[in-house]
Amino acid sequence: MTATPKTTALMQRGIDFLGSEHAILCGAMSWVSERNLVSAISNAGGFGVIACGAMTPELLDTEIAETRARTSKPFGVNLITMHPQLFDLIGVCAKHGVTHVVLAGGIPPKGSVEAIKAFGAKVVVFAPTLALAKKLLRSGGDALVIEGMEAGGHIGPVATSVLAQEFLPELAEEHLVFVAGGIGRGEAIAGYLEMGAVGVQLGTRFACANESIAHPDFKKAFFRAKARDAEASVQVDPRLPVIPVRALKNKGTEAFTAKQREVAALLDAGEVDMGEAQLQIEHFWAGALRRAVIDGDVEGGSLMAGQSVGMVTQEEPVADIIAQLMRESEEALSRR
Ligand SMILES: Cc1cc2nc3c(=O)[nH]c(=O)nc-3n(C[C@H](O)[C@H](O)[C@H](O)COP(=O)(O)O)c2cc1C
């Protein structure tokens, strides 16, 4: 008998899909979601996801093997659709028999979903609109993550609460939908489960866990920050559509503005096309995030964080965070 029967019952379809004890995913966070955090999440009954955004196929190969060496529980791999070596990365996942691939960052290119399903893995997709969600679920997506603008990292324009009301009544009966963005406590999880979600995905809340390799200064910046400090980046040039990124405000925020101007000038001069321009922007983020997470450059680097950062106040073991979320959800459901 589980200690959280009501929450577990509402999560059951998500649990069956993920193969984990709880349907709580730790969303992939570049540089943060590596072997240590991913295995800790999965060992604690959640579902860890390796962030492969900034990795070469060789690095992913090693990361999967090292994660496997640390956990026998299921975990996933997050691939960014615009990665120039996407199909090679899928090949690495196939070689290791990865069970779940999360496709993030845009519409999956032709053949990618099929290539993943060909080796038996389940495909998790993101969709910013209901129409696209339906299309992706029709064309091979096995589960959907809806992620609101409260989240850390790259974000869409709509809040989680609104996405949940728009997507869940239409999709929840037939499809598996996980809700992400702005979740800091279990009461919010209970609410989304009652609306039909089969599970949730959190990032910010796990970024500073004991098992996270993020630099101590990166973690300190999170502990100090309040919800309002996690700001969305602004687009400076209407011709260069950049996906907004939510991060703690610092000097790096200004550097991004400068980077956009530089890339817009290259576009104007015809030195790069739009695809290359957007790739340069993404490389900027990957580099800036690395400087903050790994080197502890909390001034110049990117401190990607969601609005739930105000609820991150200390370093805690992953197992404690998951236990707390489950307990809070159960208490909320028991009060109904
Ligand atoms: C530091 C950081 C890095 C992230 N990097 C990625 C990434 O590489 N790929 C991705 O799909 N999502 C990324 N995300 C989003 C998370 O996977 C997750 O969906 C999000 O954090 C959930 O919202 P929350 O921050 O409100 O919990 C990142 C989030 C953070 C905070």
Side-chain angles (χ1 to χ4, degrees):
M1 179 65 181
T2 153
T4 54
K6 290 173 195 285
T7 307
T8 301
L10 291 176
M11 284 181 170
Q12 197 58 53
R13 288 195 300 150
I15 290 169
D16 294 343
F17 173 74
L18 296 170
S20 52
E21 194 185 336
H22 312 299
I24 298 179
L25 294 118
C26 173
M29 294 177 277
S30 289
W31 306 111
V32 182
S33 296
E34 46 68 81
R35 60 192 79 168
N36 293 292
L37 183 64
V38 173
S39 60
I41 295 276
S42 292
N43 285 334
F47 189 86
V49 180
I50 296 175
C52 167
M55 281 186 198
T56 59
E58 294 70 30
L59 284 175
L60 179 63
D61 193 21
T62 308
E63 211 52 45
I64 295 172
E66 291 290 342
T67 305
R68 276 264 161 79
R70 287 163 174 78
T71 184
S72 55
K73 301 281 170 61
F75 61 88
V77 172
N78 176 298
L79 301 179
I80 305 291
T81 52
M82 68 170 79
H83 197 296
Q85 290 173 290
L86 179 64
F87 284 87
D88 297 332
L89 296 167
I90 292 173
V92 173
C93 292
K95 176 186 148 194
H96 288 276
V98 167
T99 53
H100 298 72
V101 175
V102 183
L103 281 177
I107 300 175
K110 209 169 175 321
S112 56
V113 171
E114 292 76 3
I116 295 165
K117 298 192 84 116
F119 65 88
K122 292 171 176 138
V123 180
V124 182
V125 292
F126 282 85
T129 66
L130 188 54
L132 183 60
K134 286 181 179 169
K135 184 166 179 273
L136 293 178
L137 290 167
R138 258 199 321 269
S139 51
D142 298 299
L144 173 75
V145 180
I146 54 174
E147 184 179 57
M149 49 92 88
E150 299 94 321
H154 293 72
I155 53 170
V158 182
T160 308
S161 56
V162 175
L163 290 177
Q165 294 172 77
E166 210 184 326
F167 285 57
L168 290 172
E170 288 259 348
L171 300 177
E173 216 172 278
E174 264 184 66
H175 299 284
L176 303 173
V177 185
F178 295 86
V179 174
I183 298 175
R185 293 183 55 98
E187 291 87 345
I189 297 177
Y192 291 126
L193 291 175
E194 283 187 318
M195 290 173 74
V198 297
V200 289
Q201 169 165 307
L202 287 76
T204 300
R205 194 73 174 75
F206 288 120
C208 297
N210 286 105
E211 296 91 338
S212 154
I213 59 148
H215 193 281
D217 290 344
F218 180 92
K219 293 185 180 180
K220 275 189 212 141
F222 267 51
F223 302 150
R224 275 196 303 269
K226 300 284 175 276
R228 63 176 56 213
D229 301 321
E231 292 184 355
S233 63
V234 284
Q235 181 179 336
V236 296
D237 191 318
R239 290 160 309 163
L240 181 61
V242 294
I243 305 165
V245 166
R246 187 175 299 286
L248 301 181
K249 194 172 160 55
N250 63 3
K251 286 212 179 72
T253 314
E254 289 154 36
F256 179 55
T257 305
K259 179 70 192 175
Q260 286 187 71
R261 290 213 175 89
E262 179 196 315
V263 174
L266 290 176
L267 254 181
D268 280 345
E271 284 174 37
V272 295
D273 63 15
M274 188 57 86
E276 171 59 24
Q278 281 169 326
L279 212 54
Q280 283 205 15
I281 297 281
E282 290 317 309
H283 283 152
F284 170 88
W285 282 123
L289 183 59
R290 186 185 193 286
R291 287 198 299 282
V293 172
I294 305 295
D295 307 336
D297 177 6
V298 294
E299 272 307 310
S302 170
L303 294 162
M304 289 186 193
Q307 293 179 335
S308 61
V309 71
M311 288 175 258
V312 182
T313 54
Q314 58 179 344
E315 233 180 336
E316 290 169 283
V318 154
D320 289 5
I321 299 173
I322 293 179
Q324 186 190 349
L325 293 169
M326 290 297 292
R327 195 171 55 244
E328 289 164 350
S329 169
E330 194 65 14
E331 283 170 8
L333 294 172
S334 302
R335 283 195 293 272
R336 310 283 208 255

